[in-house]
Every structure is written in C-alpha cells, then in structure tokens.
Amino acid sequence: MSEHITNKNTSSTCPDFKVKMSVLSERGKHINTVVSEDLIMKGSIKTRENSYHHEKNPTGCINLGPAQNKLMCDVLTKRLSQPDLMVWRDDLFHYYPDAGLLEFRQAIAEFLTDKANAAMPVDPDKVVVINGCGTVLESVAFALCNSGDAFITPTPYYGGAWQDFMRRANVNIHPVHLYSNKSENETRSFQLTIDKLEKGLEKANKKGLTIRGLFLMNPHNPQGEIYSREMIKDCLQFCHKHSLHIIFDEIYLTGGFVEGVQTTSILQFKPEDIPDPERTHFIWGFSKDFAMSGFRVGLYYGFGSEVKTVIQNQCRFTRFSANMHVVLANMLKDKDWIDNVYMATNQKRLRECYQFVSSKLTLAGIPFLETTCGLFLYADFRKFLKNQSFNSEIDLWNKLLDAGVHLSPSKAFRSDEPGWFRIVFSVPIDQLKIGMERISQVCKEIVTNKS
C-alpha cells in the first residue's frame, strides 16, 4: 500500500513558477497613452493648480483653453432654481427607457426642429439621449468601427474627438490636412474641398487603413467656420460614392452671436436629399449652446434605424439622472425664456467678448480667423515662434502658461501647421481683459528680445 508523503519544506526543492504579471492590462496602458497626448487637459491641470481668483489669487492662471461657456451661470442658476423645474415624481426614482424619457426627447425634437430650421420635424423616436457628446462619439465608434479602423476629418479639428474615438474604442482619425495659405480659387484659409477629401481618403487607403466614415464639425472647431449648404451636399455625395458614414457634430448649432447669422445643418435637408440615411448621423448637446458642460447631456439622432438601435443598446453604460431629463425638458418648453432671456443674453455677451478679443488681437498685430459663431477664435502666432516647428509652438505655449494664461495650441488640434492658437472668449470680461493683457505682454517681450 502506497503512502502519500508531503514535503514540508517544498520551497527549498521546488522551483517558483509564479510569474509577475503587469498591474495594468494592455487596454489600460493604451488608455493612459492616449490621455497623455491631451494637451488641452494638460494645460487645464496646470491652470487648476494655480487658478485665477480676483481676491484669493489675482496672479493665478486665466483659463482660455477649454471650450466652455462661462458667461451664463447667473441666468441659468436663476431659471433652474424656479419651482416649475424642480419636479419630483415616483417614476424618476426608477429605471427609464434606454433612449431616454419620451417627454425629454419630444422637447429636444421640438427645439431642434425650430432652431435648426429643419426641413422636416425632428422625430423623437430617432433621438437617443446620452451622458455627453464625448460618449456619443465613442458609442458611434463602437457601432460603426472595428478596433483599428478610422474616420477621416478635415484638420485642424477638435482634438477631443480623437480622445473620444481612441481611448476605449481604439478608432483612429486620419487627418485631411488643411493650411492657412490659400490656393488658387480658394477664398479662405483652411478651406475644405472634395478634392482634398478624395486625396486624403486615397492616402489612408494606401496606408492600409480601413476608413469607415467622415467626421465633420459644423460649425467648425477650432476655425469657427459654418459650412455652406453646397459643401454639406458635396460631402454627402462623397460619402455615398465611397460607402462611408458621415457624422455631423453640430454641438455649436445655435451658437451664432451675430444678428441674422443662421448656421447650416444636416437637419435642413429633406429625406430625398440625403442619399444614404443609414450612414448619416447627427450629434448635438447642451454643453456649448446651453453652457452646461458639467451636466453631461448629449444626443444621437439617426436618419436610419440600424445604427440608432446599436447606439441605444449601449445606453446601459451611458445614462444619466432621470430627474435631469425632466428639468431640461421643462426648460426647453419655456420658449419665451429660451428666446428672449437665455439666447438673447447669450448672444449679446458672446458678441461683446468676441469684439473685445478681436480688437485686442488687431492692436497687437496678431491675425485671426473672423467668426460669427461659437465660443472661440483661431489666431496666428507664427511670427512669435523661434522657428516654424511644433517644439517652438510648445515653447510659446509654456511661456503663456508661465505668464498666467492658458490657450490651446494647434498641436492639440492635430494640425500640420504650428503657430496657431485657439482663444476661448466665453469667459467673464474681467478675466478676459487680464488674459488678453498677459498674451500681449508675452508677445511684446518676444519681439523685444528678437530685436
């Protein structure tokens, strides 16, 4: 009969087969790598460490980097504090449909139909409400792309989109580089043409990339351009020709601050003018037009049903408070307040801030792209660089930070042309005055040191 013998001192005779595993997964490392490239976030972190306060820290940093509207807190606080918006019902304590509460989607649909001057009433059944437009972009990426696929987009472009597509979905953006120098027959800097899109797509295909669609911001970030109806129509045909999706990010849809300016929108196209509805997508949210970036409320609108269903099926992970659905629905229904209080005040304040910044840039001899919409302008600081390189651009960016003002450099927008900076002007005028004075002082010192 055999005996089972246990060696009490196995550690001295048996090899240690334990393998030391990495703390992070490859996905975790990927997320950290992508985040490390976010220059706007880096600048904002530096700013928060030494944030300006008119009494507590008057020498602190003025943040003109992130595109947030900080002009409307007083108006919003007053309205959101009214009893008719502070509604509590039994159903708000429970789960709600994946696409969002119907009353909220109906209020959004009516608002967009009106403000976008839509060709057809926006259908609330095609609206999916999600916790912020960044999450909408990520949900779209998961719905349309495999890991490693890509979208094309005219560049410079809102760098946060690359973060939204790449962090978890691992979907890239292939840039179609535009430049400030105008070619023959072009009327403005950074002008998009279909020929440039065709060449960009051809270049991506030669690299072996699988391009799934065109990502288009209208109005544009950072240039502030409103695309013409003809340009939108041409982009629709370009995508239809190549069986590509087209994603319209219209988060600045109602952000016009000049009297009589009407933004263009894909919602202004009749069904027969949209050649491929299943591959046509619209995104909008409350962060910019309603100065509510902290509320995290965005939406997807599908002209077809297949992609909309997949977006909706991801809402297990993208919901937000049911109470906020009702608050914002009731706010949108108050059309008198929307038109005559909120939008009238917002347009006036944005216009005044834009006029102030543009006049200061003109006095300082800094060229910029004129705009009539949005929260920012794109300014040309190339003559203040040591040389025309991104290293020199980052040197200037750091000088501005050291002087107490944060702007977003062109590298943050994946540009191929260093020296341009986005200046967000939707901040209180007292801070804007200090920020512009600090910018002017840095530029003066550079000119003095060169001479």
Side-chain angles (χ1 to χ4, degrees):
M1 185 173 173
S2 63
E3 232 179 85
H4 181 72
I5 301 173
T6 303
N7 186 346
K8 295 182 179 180
N9 192 25
T10 56
S11 61
S12 61
T13 57
C14 297
D16 185 359
F17 289 107
K18 188 185 289 183
V19 177
K20 189 173 183 179
M21 299 187 69
S22 172
V23 173
L24 295 178
S25 67
E26 292 304 313
R27 288 185 296 184
K29 293 174 186 176
H30 167 81
I31 289 170
N32 282 349
T33 299
V34 173
V35 171
S36 71
E37 296 189 30
D38 192 339
L39 287 176
I40 297 177
M41 186 182 73
K42 285 181 180 179
S44 293
I45 290 172
K46 287 185 179 181
T47 302
R48 282 196 293 269
E49 292 169 351
N50 181 33
S51 185
Y52 170 86
H53 187 278
H54 68 285
E55 291 180 347
K56 297 178 182 178
N57 192 20
T59 61
C61 196
I62 303 288
N63 196 353
L64 307 181
Q68 296 190 91
N69 187 344
K70 297 183 178 181
L71 298 173
M72 297 300 293
C73 295
D74 58 333
V75 175
L76 288 168
T77 299
K78 183 178 180 180
R79 183 66 187 95
L80 293 172
S81 300
Q82 297 302 308
D84 64 312
L85 296 191
M86 301 305 293
V87 176
W88 294 103
R89 305 188 310 239
D90 287 356
D91 64 305
L92 301 183
F93 292 91
H94 309 305
Y95 298 130
Y96 58 81
D98 285 344
L101 290 178
L102 179 59
E103 63 192 278
F104 187 27
R105 289 183 283 120
Q106 287 174 331
I108 289 171
E110 290 179 13
F111 173 81
L112 290 175
T113 300
D114 178 30
K115 298 307 176 189
N117 193 26
M120 302 288 290
V122 173
D123 184 353
D125 288 334
K126 294 182 178 180
V127 173
V128 181
V129 181
I130 294 175
N131 62 343
C133 285
T135 312
V136 178
L137 291 180
E138 183 187 70
S139 297
V140 168
F142 275 118
L144 306 185
C145 303
N146 295 315
S147 178
D149 289 351
F151 296 110
I152 58 170
T153 195
T155 307
Y157 68 88
Y158 163 61
W162 186 78
Q163 292 284 329
D164 299 331
F165 289 139
M166 274 294 287
R167 278 196 195 183
R168 297 194 296 186
N170 193 34
V171 170
N172 211 335
I173 291 181
H174 179 74
V176 177
H177 286 298
L178 309 179
Y179 299 93
S180 60
N181 292 334
K182 288 177 274 192
S183 301
E184 189 177 356
N185 299 324
E186 292 186 349
T187 59
R188 59 189 176 275
S189 298
F190 303 105
Q191 184 168 336
L192 177 63
T193 66
I194 297 302
D195 182 59
K196 293 174 184 177
L197 288 178
E198 290 283 3
K199 289 177 180 176
L201 179 61
E202 182 182 359
K203 188 175 180 180
N205 289 334
K206 285 181 179 178
K207 285 186 173 182
L209 294 174
T210 299
I211 299 298
R212 293 288 290 154
L214 168 63
F215 174 67
L216 201 64
M217 292 202 73
N218 182 40
H220 195 271
N221 179 2
Q223 286 108 270
E225 178 183 358
I226 299 172
Y227 288 118
S228 68
R229 181 180 176 87
E230 291 73 24
M231 187 72 245
I232 295 173
K233 183 178 179 180
D234 289 345
C235 288
L236 287 168
Q237 292 298 332
F238 164 79
C239 289
H240 182 54
K241 172 185 173 182
H242 296 286
S243 297
L244 298 176
H245 290 266
I246 184 165
I247 304 159
F248 291 95
D249 185 334
E250 299 190 16
I251 197 169
Y252 297 98
L253 175 66
T254 69
F257 51 79
V258 174
E259 194 75 28
V261 170
Q262 172 67 56
T263 57
T264 53
S265 171
I266 185 58
L267 298 177
Q268 295 165 0
F269 284 67
K270 295 177 181 179
E272 58 266 29
D273 295 328
I274 298 176
D276 198 345
E278 284 290 350
R279 289 186 172 91
T280 305
H281 317 280
F282 168 88
I283 293 169
W284 180 79
F286 286 73
S287 292
K288 315 302 183 183
D289 286 350
F290 278 103
M292 295 177 172
S293 53
F295 279 41
R296 310 313 304 135
V297 183
L299 66 91
Y300 168 87
Y301 185 76
F303 291 84
S305 60
E306 197 169 352
V307 176
K308 181 257 180 183
T309 299
V310 177
I311 300 294
Q312 184 173 314
N313 286 342
Q314 297 178 66
C315 286
R316 178 183 183 89
F317 311 106
T318 62
R319 292 189 180 105
F320 57 93
S321 166
N323 172 256
M324 188 55 62
H325 288 221
V326 177
V327 169
L328 295 180
N330 289 341
M331 184 190 79
L332 289 177
K333 291 172 187 176
D334 187 353
K335 295 181 180 179
D336 180 65
W337 178 84
I338 292 286
D339 292 340
N340 300 316
V341 179
Y342 179 81
M343 288 200 163
T345 305
N346 187 43
Q347 288 171 358
K348 180 176 181 292
R349 291 178 180 179
L350 286 173
R351 183 167 59 250
E352 290 172 349
C353 288
Y354 171 77
Q355 289 171 347
F356 174 78
V357 170
S358 60
S359 66
K360 290 296 182 182
L361 289 172
T362 300
L363 283 173
I366 301 171
F368 60 92
L369 303 182
E370 294 184 3
T371 184
T372 58
C373 186
L375 312 177
F376 43 76
L377 52 75
Y378 205 41
D380 182 1
F381 286 77
R382 285 179 293 175
K383 65 183 177 183
F384 302 105
L385 301 184
K386 290 179 181 177
N387 54 65
Q388 298 305 304
S389 69
F390 285 107
N391 285 338
S392 291
E393 178 183 87
I394 296 303
D395 286 343
L396 177 55
W397 180 60
N398 283 315
K399 282 181 181 178
L400 291 165
L401 280 169
D402 291 341
V405 61
H406 173 214
L407 309 182
S408 298
S410 70
K411 189 174 182 179
F413 305 105
R414 326 296 288 190
S415 177
D416 197 38
E417 185 174 328
W420 290 76
F421 285 74
R422 189 187 69 179
I423 303 175
V424 173
F425 53 76
S426 52
V427 299
I429 194 68
D430 59 323
Q431 294 184 35
L432 204 54
K433 288 178 179 178
I434 297 169
M436 293 307 297
E437 178 58 37
R438 291 174 180 177
I439 292 169
S440 179
Q441 189 59 39
V442 169
C443 293
K444 285 178 182 177
E445 289 174 3
I446 291 173
V447 171
T448 300
N449 291 335
K450 279 184 176 180
S451 58

